[in-house]
Amino acid sequence: MADEVGSAPQYDEFADEFLDHARDGFYNAHYDRPACLELLGSVSGRTVLDAACGPGLYAGELVDRGAKVVGLDNSPRMVELARDSVPAAEFRVHDLADPLDWLPDDSVDLVLFALALEYLDDRVSVLRELRRVLRPDGALVLSRMHPTGEWLRHGGNYFEPRVVEEVWSMGWRVRQWLAPLEQTCAELSAAGFLLERLREPRPRPESAELYPEAYARLTQEPAGFLAIRAIPDPRD
């Protein structure tokens, strides 16, 4: 298998199913979204770039909290869904492999980059571009698959970055990068960021009754996601 994911919009063909799944699903609604929103902090009156916005689920919560949201995704169908569900935000189809040439330097207060890092082949270039549009006192919040959990699932050499292809339980086929945590930290540093906070989230307590098995697992094992808040390095 070639060591690249490519820029095809993988989620486009199951975008509608994903929206139905992620709106109230355990991993998205009770696990990743709360963790990312907590790391973003107060967003009222602030401009947030929702990079890889998907169907607008994060954007909707950000708008409800008073943010001005600009979102992008490389899936045209995801962008359609986001526009339908969050008309107060601005969305566009954009491949993060291309420069954000429609956004000026220092033009956003916060960047949210949820569960998309692993689909990028040149992660440092993308992170540098996010750093460029971020104001000096802003922050980037990203989440990714927990590398330990991915290694436990896939085996092999934990320290060797590689592309895997798999079919998820919903029947969705995806290609993504596996990479150790130290590589993500190094890529953030190379892009001009300082790591401010790293979280290994636990599910919201109210999800215990709805999803008892998943809740029990993710309160004891590094089998899900992790989330990072990074700030622009003033020395950069």
Side-chain angles (χ1 to χ4, degrees), residues 6 24 70 84 153 178 215:
D24 300 306
V70 179
D84 289 343
R153 287 199 312 118
L178 303 186
Y215 179 85

Side-chain angles (χ1 to χ4, degrees), residues 24-196:
D24 300 306
F26 174 75
Y27 283 92
N28 298 92
H30 297 278
Y31 185 50
D32 188 65
R33 285 207 301 276
C36 288
L37 291 167
E38 179 190 344
L39 285 180
L40 283 170
S42 175
V43 297
S44 180
R46 311 191 80 184
T47 300
V48 182
L49 174 63
D50 187 358
C53 64
L57 294 170
Y58 297 79
E61 295 210 31
L62 291 168
V63 167
D64 288 344
R65 296 178 185 208
K68 175 185 177 183
V69 176
V70 179
L72 64 91
D73 202 281
N74 73 336
S75 162
R77 181 56 183 157
M78 285 291 197
V79 170
E80 287 180 10
L81 293 170
R83 286 172 176 160
D84 289 343
S85 61
V86 195
E90 174 191 335
F91 298 99
R92 66 169 62 202
V93 178
H94 182 87
D95 186 345
L96 280 168
D98 299 325
L100 299 168
D101 50 13
W102 42 278
L103 282 174
D105 295 357
D106 305 336
S107 57
V108 302
D109 298 298
L110 295 162
V111 175
L112 172 63
F113 192 25
L115 300 178
L117 188 71
E118 50 265 43
Y119 301 117
L120 300 173
D121 293 316
D122 187 353
R123 292 171 294 280
V124 173
S125 292
V126 174
L127 291 169
R128 281 181 180 147
E129 190 68 352
L130 297 178
R131 165 71 177 81
R132 178 187 67 79
V133 303
L134 188 61
R135 296 193 175 110
D137 60 349
L140 162 72
V141 170
L142 71 83
S143 58
R144 59 155 291 184
M145 296 286 196
H146 198 299
T148 304
E150 290 297 272
W151 172 67
L152 289 171
R153 287 199 312 118
H154 292 280
N157 185 345
Y158 168 82
F159 296 103
E160 180 183 356
R162 65 193 191 277
V163 174
V164 297
E165 183 171 311
E166 59 184 327
V167 179
W168 289 349
S169 60
M170 301 291 290
W172 306 334
R173 182 177 298 276
V174 297
R175 288 169 58 84
Q176 61 185 355
W177 279 94
L178 303 186
L181 178 57
E182 68 177 13
Q183 178 165 323
T184 297
C185 294
E187 290 167 350
L188 283 165
S189 178
F193 285 99
L194 296 174
L195 196 154
E196 185 179 70

Side-chain angles (χ1 to χ4, degrees), residues 218-236:
L218 290 183
T219 52
Q220 300 178 62
E221 301 177 13
F225 309 143
L226 60 78
I228 291 172
R229 180 181 169 101
I231 58 174
D233 187 341
R235 303 166 297 179
D236 185 59

